[in-house]
């Protein structure tokens, strides 16, 4: 390489990492001990100021984007769903723990939904079993919220296939951690729900939505709105459990009232099994 040719791995300026190390070795004086002297990017108090919010938003968008690109993630299969549905192997114990309490009927309904945990796991396995592209990048990489229940099932299915998977955790008031099946190098934590939602969809090739509550509905309706308004290219949106979805949302009534177009009812598909969902994603009937 000519000395005049650009080299993306080298820069004329000294690397920030080197100056960060040097800054820790300065002599202690009243000036160097004062917070004002800290390098801006090492000053946590400065970075957490209210007026630095735009910078924090940018960093939270940029960090996962760079790491996902470096990991060769070409596209994702996103899983939305409840954090409360038990795994099939835990369903009986879940029922027993609530027996005789006012919550017994609710526990029974949640336990019945354990089949969706199994379907999410199977769908994730099918997607994760696909070969890499010729350049080594991956499609249909499983991406979940990184938590328990349906999210765990998705990451677990990818682990069953020996494939990497993504977990997008968000800081919540109660203590939480990523589920054990998320690939550590693809496990991210967010402060801003909005930036987390962007990362769910920036690489999404399809979205599988399982029964869930406020969070799931929030994510589903934002996705539908983005596609409906043309802000996002149409992608397959699979709603698992037709009976559940028809019970909690009357999409037909929205069309009948004129607040959505009848054609908007074609933005999503009801499915019951992982096999049916995967067939749709592969272009089948």
């Amino acid at each position: 390489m000519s000395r005049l040719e650009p080299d993306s791995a080298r820069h004329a300026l000294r690397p920030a990492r080197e100056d960060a190390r040097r800054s820790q070795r300065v002599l202690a004086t009243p000036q160097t001990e004062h917070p004002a002297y800290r390098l801006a990017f090492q000053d946590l108090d400065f970075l957490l100021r209210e007026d630095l919010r735009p910078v924090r938003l940018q960093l939270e968008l940029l960090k996962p984007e760079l790491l996902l690109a470096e990991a060769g993630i070409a596209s994702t299969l996103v899983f939305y769903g409840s954090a409360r549905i038990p795994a099939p192997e835990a369903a009986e114990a879940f029922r027993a723990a609530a027996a005789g309490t006012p919550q017994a009927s609710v526990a029974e309904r949640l336990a019945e939904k354990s089949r969706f945990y199994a379907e999410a796991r199977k769908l994730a396995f099918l997607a994760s079993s696909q070969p890499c592209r010729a350049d080594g990048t991956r499609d249909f990489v499983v991406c979940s919220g990184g938590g328990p229940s349906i999210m765990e099932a998705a990451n677990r299915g990818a682990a069953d296939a020996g494939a990497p998977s993504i977990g997008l955790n968000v800081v919540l008031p109660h203590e939480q951690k990523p589920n054990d099946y998320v690939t550590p190098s693809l496990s991210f934590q967010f402060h801003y729900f909005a930036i987390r939602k962007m990362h769910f969809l920036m690489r999404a090739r399809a979205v599988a939505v399982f029964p869930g509550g406020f969070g799931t509905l929030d994510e589903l309706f934002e996705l539908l709105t983005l596609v409906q308004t043309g802000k996002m290219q149409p992608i397959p949106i699979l709603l698992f459990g037709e009976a559940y979805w028809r019970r909690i949302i009357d999409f037909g009534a929205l069309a009948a009232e004129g607040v959505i177009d009848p054609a908007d009812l074609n933005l999503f598909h009801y499915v019951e099994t992982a096999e049916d969902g995967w067939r749709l994603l592969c272009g089948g009937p």
Side-chain angles (χ1 to χ4, degrees), residues 209 220 237-242 245 251 268-272:
V209 190
L220 170 61
I237 301 171
L238 310 179
L239 302 189
F240 276 78
E242 182 173 359
W245 290 108
F251 289 106
F268 54 86
H269 305 273
Y270 294 114
V271 294
E272 299 300 328

Side-chain angles (χ1 to χ4, degrees), residues 83-84 147-148 151 169-178 189 193:
R84 303 184 183 195
M151 295 172 280
N169 259 191
V170 65
V171 178
L172 297 174
H174 55 274
E175 184 177 350
Q176 65 163 0
K177 67 177 182 64
Q189 184 174 210
F193 265 109

Side-chain angles (χ1 to χ4, degrees), residues 40-41 47-48 52-66 188-190 192 195 199:
F41 58 80
L47 290 174
L48 294 178
L52 266 288
R53 188 185 299 273
V55 175
R56 294 196 299 275
L57 283 161
Q58 183 178 14
L59 290 172
E60 196 154 283
L61 179 65
L62 188 59
K63 179 182 176 180
E65 173 63 19
L66 292 175
F188 303 102
Q189 184 174 210
F190 293 84
Y192 298 106
I195 302 299
H199 277 293

Side-chain angles (χ1 to χ4, degrees), residues 128-158:
S128 300
S129 298
Q130 303 309 300
C132 294
R133 296 184 185 182
D135 62 2
T137 58
R138 288 181 173 272
D139 284 303
F140 286 115
V141 177
V142 167
C143 177
S144 85
S149 191
I150 296 298
M151 295 172 280
E152 175 189 279
N155 297 114
R156 188 175 179 182

Side-chain angles (χ1 to χ4, degrees), residues 202-230:
M202 285 168 66
R203 283 178 165 78
R205 188 161 171 180
V207 176
V209 190
F210 290 81
F214 286 162
T216 302
L217 293 173
D218 176 44
E219 291 155 347
L220 170 61
F221 275 102
E222 179 158 16
L223 169 60
L224 290 172
T225 301
L226 288 170
V227 176
Q228 181 201 47
T229 58

Side-chain angles (χ1 to χ4, degrees), residues 32-192:
T32 63
E33 291 290 302
H34 195 280
Y37 196 72
R38 296 175 193 155
L39 286 170
F41 58 80
Q42 288 187 307
D43 188 343
L44 191 59
D45 290 333
F46 173 69
L47 290 174
L48 294 178
R49 286 173 55 150
E50 181 66 25
D51 25 358
L52 266 288
R53 188 185 299 273
V55 175
R56 294 196 299 275
L57 283 161
Q58 183 178 14
L59 290 172
E60 196 154 283
L61 179 65
L62 188 59
K63 179 182 176 180
E65 173 63 19
L66 292 175
L67 295 181
L68 290 171
E70 290 169 2
I73 309 300
S75 68
T76 58
L77 172 54
V78 175
F79 287 73
Y80 294 148
S82 175
R84 303 184 183 195
I85 295 171
E89 62 269 23
E92 284 307 316
F94 188 81
R95 286 186 178 99
T101 73
Q103 296 302 310
S105 61
V106 172
E108 177 62 31
R109 288 194 291 275
L110 284 171
E112 288 173 355
K113 292 181 180 65
S114 64
R115 70 180 183 89
F116 291 113
Y117 182 110
E119 297 303 329
R121 183 177 176 182
K122 284 190 286 186
L123 180 62
F125 176 82
L126 290 170
S128 300
S129 298
Q130 303 309 300
C132 294
R133 296 184 185 182
D135 62 2
T137 58
R138 288 181 173 272
D139 284 303
F140 286 115
V141 177
V142 167
C143 177
S144 85
S149 191
I150 296 298
M151 295 172 280
E152 175 189 279
N155 297 114
R156 188 175 179 182
D160 292 339
S165 68
I166 302 163
L168 307 181
N169 259 191
V170 65
V171 178
L172 297 174
H174 55 274
E175 184 177 350
Q176 65 163 0
K177 67 177 182 64
N179 68 65
D180 294 338
Y181 302 99
V182 178
T183 300
S185 61
L186 300 177
S187 181
F188 303 102
Q189 184 174 210
F190 293 84
H191 170 64
Y192 298 106

